[in-house]
């Protein structure tokens, strides 16, 4: 009995605006090239959104622009690709309807997105939903290596960025600049003044965010993949640990032994020691005078 050959004519990649969802794109591109197939980049938007209308509109606009940019890059590489958008209160049902209406041959999707993609699309019954899919579904699990650099706003903490960039280049990793924002504490003012960093005690949330964005843009200008995150917490060590444990693909933390106080508080005090104790991933400690 002859075995039917695969004839993929249209390949669909569901996207949600996140880089982890885009991890499936190279696999879909490889299939499209091998089968001379069309690639459909489908942005999914859940309705009703949980965010405010203004924030939601901005998020959708950014996601659309990201998908268009991705399509243009694929066109430049000779890939026959187009983008589409799907808004629905029942994404799994709408997705399967789109698959049938557009005569999709196979769905290639990441298991991760802004949140786990399978549960986001199909809810708690995702296994049942997948088995009822009208076409084959290729699932891709992201292996996304990231290097987290905790920063407190001081030049001392930024001394870890140099060694982190060297590691990122060597391992093709992304750098994540992480700040745990705390309200200024009066007990630090004397040490800050001695260290020449008195202005840090008055640093606002917006100023710290702008500083992180500036550092991120500098890294991107140097050809590195970089993102920034800022978290409100009065427990930096726990906040750093929680972030690393919940963030997909973190391979290492690179942090300075000196923070705002100018003494080795991060190493021997309340931050680095606890981070080392709480996490299983490698932690690289950098003294400012070593950079």
């Amino acid at each position: 009995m002859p075995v039917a050959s695969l004839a993929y004519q249209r390949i669909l990649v569901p996207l949600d605006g996140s880089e982890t969802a885009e991890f499936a794109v190279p696999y879909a591109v490889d299939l499209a090239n091998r089968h001379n197939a069309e690639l459909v980049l489908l942005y999914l938007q859940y309705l009703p959104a949980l965010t405010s209308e203004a924030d939601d509109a901005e998020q959708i606009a950014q996601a659309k622009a990201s998908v268009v940019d991705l399509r243009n890059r694929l066109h430049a590489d000779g890939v026959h690709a187009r983008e589409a958008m799907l808004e629905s209160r029942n994404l799994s049902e709408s997705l399967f309807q789109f698959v049938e209406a557009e005569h999709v041959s196979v769905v290639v999707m990441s298991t991760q997105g802004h949140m786990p993609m399978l549960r986001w699309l199909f809810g708690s019954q995702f296994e049942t939903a997948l088995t009822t899919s009208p076409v084959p579904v290729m699932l891709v699990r992201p292996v996304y290596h990231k290097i987290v650099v905790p920063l407190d706003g001081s030049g001392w903490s930024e001394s870890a960025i140099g060694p982190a960039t060297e590691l990122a280049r060597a391992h093709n990793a992304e750098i994540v600049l992480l700040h745990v924002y705390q309200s200024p504490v009066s007990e630090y003012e004397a040490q800050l003044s001695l260290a020449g960093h008195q202005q840090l005690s008055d640093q606002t949330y917006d100023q710290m965010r702008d500083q992180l964005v500036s550092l991120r843009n500098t890294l991107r200008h140097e050809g590195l993949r970089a993102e920034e995150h800022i978290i409100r917490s009065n427990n930096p060590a726990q906040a750093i640990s929680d972030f690393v444990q919940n963030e997909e693909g973190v391979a290492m933390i690179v942090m300075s032994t000196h923070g705002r106080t100018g003494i080795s508080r991060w190493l021997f005090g309340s931050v680095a020691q606890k981070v080392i104790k709480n996490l299983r991933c490698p932690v690289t400690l950098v003294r400012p005078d070593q950079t």
Side-chain angles (χ1 to χ4, degrees), residues 212-229:
L212 287 179
V213 169
S214 177
L215 290 169
R216 179 206 67 189
N217 290 342
T218 298
L219 293 174
R220 289 182 176 179
H221 183 71
E222 295 173 356
L224 292 159
R225 290 183 288 116
E227 294 294 338
E228 83 289 344
H229 289 274

Side-chain angles (χ1 to χ4, degrees), residues 97-291:
Q97 290 175 351
F98 184 92
V99 165
E100 292 183 330
E102 295 291 327
H103 304 290
V104 170
S105 307
V106 60
V107 176
V108 182
M109 62 183 289
S110 170
T111 59
Q112 296 290 323
H114 283 305
M115 59 187 71
M117 180 73 85
L118 297 181
R119 291 192 179 277
W120 181 61
L121 274 176
F122 307 118
S124 60
Q125 302 299 318
F126 67 88
E127 291 182 355
T128 301
L130 287 177
T131 59
T132 60
S133 171
V135 299
V137 178
M138 177 188 291
L139 299 177
V140 179
R141 179 178 176 82
V143 182
Y144 207 71
H145 299 296
K146 301 179 182 179
I147 297 174
V148 174
V149 183
L151 302 171
D152 69 359
S154 69
W156 289 302
S157 66
E158 290 178 17
S159 64
I161 295 178
T165 58
E166 293 180 11
L167 289 167
R169 292 187 192 280
H171 298 279
N172 192 28
E174 178 185 38
I175 293 179
V176 180
L177 304 174
L178 175 65
H179 175 70
V180 180
Y181 181 79
Q182 305 176 84
S183 299
V185 181
S186 59
E187 67 177 286
Y188 291 157
E189 291 180 354
Q191 294 95 327
L192 290 170
S193 180
L194 288 173
H197 291 277
Q198 177 65 41
Q199 72 277 10
L200 289 174
S201 64
D202 300 322
Q203 216 166 19
T204 66
Y205 180 94
D206 289 339
Q207 288 172 331
M208 191 62 227
R209 181 186 58 194
D210 291 344
Q211 184 175 339
L212 287 179
V213 169
S214 177
L215 290 169
R216 179 206 67 189
N217 290 342
T218 298
L219 293 174
R220 289 182 176 179
H221 183 71
E222 295 173 356
L224 292 159
R225 290 183 288 116
E227 294 294 338
E228 83 289 344
H229 289 274
I230 185 166
I231 303 170
R232 293 182 183 270
S233 174
N234 290 323
N235 189 336
Q238 189 60 52
I240 293 169
S241 300
D242 290 344
F243 177 85
V244 171
Q245 289 172 344
N246 294 325
E247 183 74 4
E248 181 78 18
V250 173
M252 180 181 295
I253 300 174
V254 180
M255 62 192 299
S256 172
T257 60
H258 291 55
R260 289 187 172 189
T261 61
I263 61 176
S264 299
R265 185 180 183 93
W266 281 37
L267 178 57
F268 300 111
S270 61
V271 179
Q273 190 177 40
K274 292 180 181 179
V275 170
I276 295 169
K277 181 179 178 180
N278 291 342
L279 296 176
R280 295 182 179 180
C281 72
V283 178
T284 298
L285 297 172
V286 179
R287 286 178 54 187
D289 56 8
Q290 291 177 328
T291 57

Side-chain angles (χ1 to χ4, degrees), residues 15-17 41-45 59-60 63-64 67 84-86:
L15 301 170
D16 66 358
L41 307 170
L42 179 64
Y43 173 69
L44 303 169
Q45 175 63 30
Q59 176 186 347
I60 293 175
K64 284 182 177 179
V67 174
M85 182 172 179
L86 184 62

Side-chain angles (χ1 to χ4, degrees), residues 4-73:
S5 62
L6 290 175
Y8 293 155
Q9 296 181 341
R10 184 165 292 125
I11 299 169
L12 176 69
V13 183
L15 301 170
D16 66 358
S18 68
E19 290 187 2
T20 43
E22 290 183 14
F23 197 88
V25 172
Y27 297 88
V29 167
D30 182 64
L31 278 179
N33 288 336
R34 292 176 183 273
H35 294 271
N36 193 28
E38 179 188 42
L39 187 60
V40 181
L41 307 170
L42 179 64
Y43 173 69
L44 303 169
Q45 175 63 30
Y46 175 69
L47 297 176
L50 298 178
T51 56
S52 70
E53 184 174 342
D55 291 341
D56 187 50
E58 181 179 358
Q59 176 186 347
I60 293 175
Q62 291 175 346
K64 284 182 177 179
S66 175
V67 174
V68 170
D69 179 65
L70 177 58
R71 179 209 63 193
N72 291 339
R73 284 186 277 125

